[in-house]
Amino acid sequence: MQYQRSSLLFSEAEKVIPGGVNSPVRAFKSVGGTPIYVKSAKGAYLYDEDGNKLIDYINSWGPMILGHAYQPVIDAITERAKKGTSFGMPTELETKIATLAVSMVPNIEKIRFVNSGTEACMSAIRLARGFTNRDKIIKFAGCYHGHSDSFLIQAGSGAITFGSPNSPGVTQGTAKDTLLANYNDLENVRSLFEANKNQIAAIIVEPVAGNMGCIPPKKGFLEGLKEICIENQSLLIFDEVMTGFRLAKGGVQELFGVDADIVCFGKVIGGGLPVGAFASRSEIMDYLAPLGPVYQAGTLSGNPLAMEAGLTMLTALNNNPQVFKSLDEKTAYLDNGIRNILLKNNIDHTINRVGSMISVHFDANPVTDFESAKNGDNETFKKFFHGMLHQGIYIAPSAYESWFITDALTYDDLDFTINAVDLVAKKL
């Protein structure tokens, strides 16, 4: 495949956009080469500026659960746009999608819409601090909750020390209120609570991690976090920006039967448009302005285009819960196919999968947290990424990102992908 036009477009972008991209992972920095510029997409396929057709396993990092340019969403957006694109005033649509979301997800009574997953997580943390009147939070190494200052924290010198900023512009003052724990390690979490008694407002976690590759929670991990929060009168926040409305109609809370205190959404809830949301029971949500003292606002929050797209997508998923079974079966088929090929070629690997999220780690050992994820053979991943791209398969351009499966994929697409893995594996 040739990418001359993509290379040219990237060179032009670098002159006016920092790094040539508006989100760093798009720059191909971890795999080398030039980003692919998309011209259009339909169903399970991307069509780039050089005329190549690619089977897409990213799907806009999750929201295209029913495929690109899903016709009901396109029709709904088109009709809504004719009536105006933004008002800065309430619309009935906001109540409709809020009512539907609350009915689909267990354990939430009220929801507020924002414009991104980052904004949802940032607002959830502020709400948790306001509700508990405490300052500190616990996050997990390798879990990503957006680029808000509180989340850009790396490990300190020991298990119970404060974190330190891992981006210039994040102050030490902000970092001191973020404690870093190891994913899937309840004892580590307990030690942080012991060292910071009555100071921790909340734990925020990706209940199924997707930003160090797909990493499922160990049995009892989520339940243990809930117990710890109850014991310490802290709140448990599930960042379901990736998993919400994807792994099940009600997300991880439904899938694993564990109730969080606050849940953050993004991706699928916007139907492909920029939308985030956070939700909880009424007593917590009523701490938000204008009812309560915790301030949160957004000029474009709940804008009609995004609400129409989200409402249409959630309605489709709500009316056809079998889609989650279909997604799970297709992802399992892909998992088995890739696994057999890599075993046949004696390539060290671990494949993690939960529902329609999956990732291939080039390491024979279990991948259960950020430290074990870092042990993967990144050089092999780079070769695998470019080999798959050459075969017409687009996967995440990073070893630390989950793949997201769309129901628009056919079993012919999956067989084509597995055959591509076979061709690539022979050269690894």
Side-chain angles (χ1 to χ4, degrees):
M1 289 189 175
Q2 301 298 313
Y3 298 103
Q4 288 94 337
R5 180 153 173 77
S6 280
S7 296
L8 176 63
L9 289 170
F10 184 57
S11 296
E12 291 299 311
E14 288 181 296
K15 298 174 185 176
V16 289
I17 300 172
V21 293
N22 284 309
S23 190
V25 74
R26 300 176 192 172
F28 278 32
K29 188 173 181 180
S30 66
V31 294
T34 301
I36 307 303
Y37 275 68
V38 179
K39 189 170 186 177
S40 65
K42 180 66 178 176
Y45 313 117
L46 302 170
Y47 301 90
D48 70 20
E49 288 283 356
D50 288 279
N52 301 306
K53 175 185 176 181
L54 303 168
I55 299 177
D56 185 16
Y57 285 96
I58 300 305
N59 291 289
S60 191
W61 303 95
M64 304 309 181
I65 191 169
L66 300 179
H68 290 283
Y70 178 60
Q71 200 60 51
V73 170
I74 298 301
D75 292 344
I77 294 171
T78 302
E79 289 305 308
R80 175 55 55 180
K82 295 175 182 177
K83 302 174 184 177
T85 57
S86 181
F87 312 121
M89 298 169 65
T91 66
E92 184 183 9
L93 273 172
E94 296 166 76
T95 305
K96 284 185 175 180
I97 188 174
T99 301
L100 179 57
V102 166
S103 74
M104 292 174 71
V105 179
N107 194 45
I108 65 172
E109 295 175 329
K110 291 185 178 180
I111 187 168
R112 177 163 285 183
F113 287 91
V114 292
N115 296 294
S116 68
T118 291
E119 194 178 339
C121 292
M122 175 186 74
S123 302
I125 287 295
R126 183 183 302 158
L127 177 58
R129 284 172 166 153
F131 183 78
T132 62
N133 197 30
R134 297 175 179 178
D135 292 337
K136 298 187 191 306
I137 63 167
I138 292 176
K139 73 173 291 287
F140 293 89
C143 286
Y144 179 72
H145 309 290
H147 59 90
S148 177
D149 287 2
S150 295
F151 304 131
L152 296 180
I153 306 299
Q154 62 190 5
S157 59
I160 57 174
T161 60
F162 298 127
S164 59
N166 65 353
S167 173
V170 178
T171 68
Q172 291 288 345
T174 297
K176 74 178 177 61
D177 287 329
T178 300
L179 306 171
L180 201 68
N182 300 321
Y183 193 75
N184 274 324
D185 187 344
L186 287 175
E187 288 308 309
N188 183 220
V189 175
R190 288 192 179 96
S191 72
L192 291 171
F193 272 92
E194 186 66 27
N196 298 272
K197 286 185 180 298
N198 302 317
Q199 298 179 65
I200 297 173
I203 298 172
I204 185 168
V205 63
E206 290 182 272
V208 174
N211 284 287
M212 42 186 158
C214 177
I215 298 183
K218 288 182 178 178
K219 185 176 182 180
F221 177 61
L222 298 179
E223 293 87 346
L225 293 181
K226 179 65 174 179
E227 290 173 8
I228 291 169
C229 284
I230 291 172
E231 290 167 6
N232 291 276
Q233 297 181 306
S234 299
L235 301 184
L236 178 60
I237 303 172
F238 277 1
D239 175 354
E240 291 218 50
V241 169
M242 288 183 174
T243 60
F245 307 103
R246 169 168 279 279
L247 298 187
K249 189 169 75 169
V252 167
Q253 290 190 113
E254 175 188 327
L255 191 65
F256 288 97
V258 179
D259 290 342
D261 294 297
I262 304 176
V263 189
C264 302
F265 301 105
K267 313 294 186 189
V268 173
I269 201 172
L273 270 66
V275 181
F278 59 107
S280 184
R281 56 187 183 269
S282 296
E283 66 169 317
I284 294 176
M285 294 301 285
D286 287 350
Y287 262 68
L288 288 171
L291 289 177
V294 177
Y295 193 74
Q296 183 278 326
T299 301
L300 291 177
S301 294
N303 77 83
L305 288 185
M307 295 295 92
E308 190 74 75
L311 177 61
T312 305
M313 179 61 72
L314 294 193
T315 299
L317 297 174
N318 190 52
N319 290 344
N320 182 26
Q322 285 297 109
V323 72
F324 298 103
K325 183 175 184 289
S326 173
L327 282 161
D328 187 67
E329 290 172 347
K330 288 178 180 179
T331 312
Y333 185 87
L334 181 67
D335 179 347
N336 291 331
I338 295 175
R339 191 184 305 273
N340 290 335
I341 295 297
L342 296 180
L343 283 170
K344 181 180 74 173
N345 287 277
N346 297 312
I347 296 170
D348 287 345
H349 69 280
T350 292
I351 298 178
N352 284 346
R353 178 179 71 87
V354 179
S356 58
M357 293 172 62
I358 182 173
S359 59
V360 180
H361 304 265
F362 288 102
D363 186 359
N365 298 308
V367 179
T368 59
D369 57 17
F370 189 46
E371 286 303 310
S372 52
K374 290 193 295 184
N375 292 331
D377 186 340
N378 284 338
E379 289 305 312
T380 297
F381 178 81
K382 290 177 187 178
K383 294 175 184 175
F384 181 73
F385 171 81
H386 284 288
M388 294 296 284
L389 187 60
H390 183 72
Q391 295 296 325
I393 312 293
Y394 189 74
I395 63 173
S398 167
Y400 301 110
E401 299 285 354
S402 176
W403 306 7
F404 297 96
I405 307 305
T406 173
D407 200 46
L409 285 162
T410 66
Y411 280 90
D412 285 343
D413 295 326
L414 299 175
D415 285 335
F416 183 91
T417 303
I418 293 165
N419 289 333
V421 172
D422 196 16
L423 293 172
V424 172
K426 289 179 170 63
K427 299 178 182 179
L428 291 179

